[in-house]
Amino acid sequence: MTERRERHERWMRRALAAAASVDAPDDVPVGAVLYGPEGTELAAARNEREAAQDPTAHAEVLVLRAAAKQLNTWRLAGCTLVVTLEPCTMCAGALVLARVDTLVFGAWEPKTGAVGSLWDVVRDRRNNHRPEVYPGVLEAECALLLRDFFRE
């Protein structure tokens, strides 16, 4: 296994831990973590749409907001976003606009995915910024967390 793949899996386990937290038990368990250029964790979050009654409170948006506030800039160049589920159009657009360099995601989302399933917002040639994408990292574990949530 390559060093990059090992790092992505380690980071995905952190995103899975964020997703599995019980802070927002009624929300779909999607977790995201944003890492800085040196590999330091800048922010971690879980979906909070139900808890916050905010339609934009997806894990990805929450970590982008937290990291931008921490770094005092909306430009997150050099950063890596790790998320347990393929981002939707809103989140894919947000990470492109934030200039995130790398996206790592776990499970595919055939109903709303915007990184290859329904659309491919992040790699659209018309964008002035296109992050590198690593899909399917710990895909089975990420999908299982979601299946268990919806089964209940």
Side-chain angles (χ1 to χ4, degrees), residues 23-145:
D23 293 341
D26 295 335
D27 279 290
V28 177
V30 175
V33 185
L34 192 75
Y35 291 92
E38 308 82 28
T40 56
E41 182 178 313
L42 298 174
R46 180 189 203 278
N47 274 359
E48 294 183 9
R49 289 190 312 167
E50 296 295 333
Q53 290 301 297
D54 177 355
T56 68
H58 289 201
E60 301 96 322
V61 171
L62 297 174
V63 297
L64 293 174
R65 286 177 184 162
K69 187 173 183 176
Q70 178 184 336
L71 298 172
N72 200 32
T73 181
W74 61 267
R75 291 177 185 90
L76 301 175
C79 292
T80 298
L81 177 62
V82 180
V83 61
T84 57
L85 184 65
E86 178 185 4
C88 68
T89 52
M90 174 182 69
C91 295
L95 74 96
V96 167
L97 293 173
R99 310 296 194 270
V100 170
D101 278 3
T102 306
L103 169 64
V104 177
F105 72 86
W108 292 91
E109 173 45 282
K111 295 180 181 178
T112 62
V115 187
S117 287
L118 288 182
W119 302 281
D120 200 345
V121 172
V122 300
R123 290 177 283 212
D124 189 308
R125 291 188 179 282
R126 295 168 290 186
N127 288 332
N128 64 346
H129 177 76
R130 289 183 298 280
E132 195 170 358
V133 178
Y134 295 92
V137 176
L138 300 183
E139 181 177 1
E141 292 92 326
C142 294
L144 180 61
L145 185 64

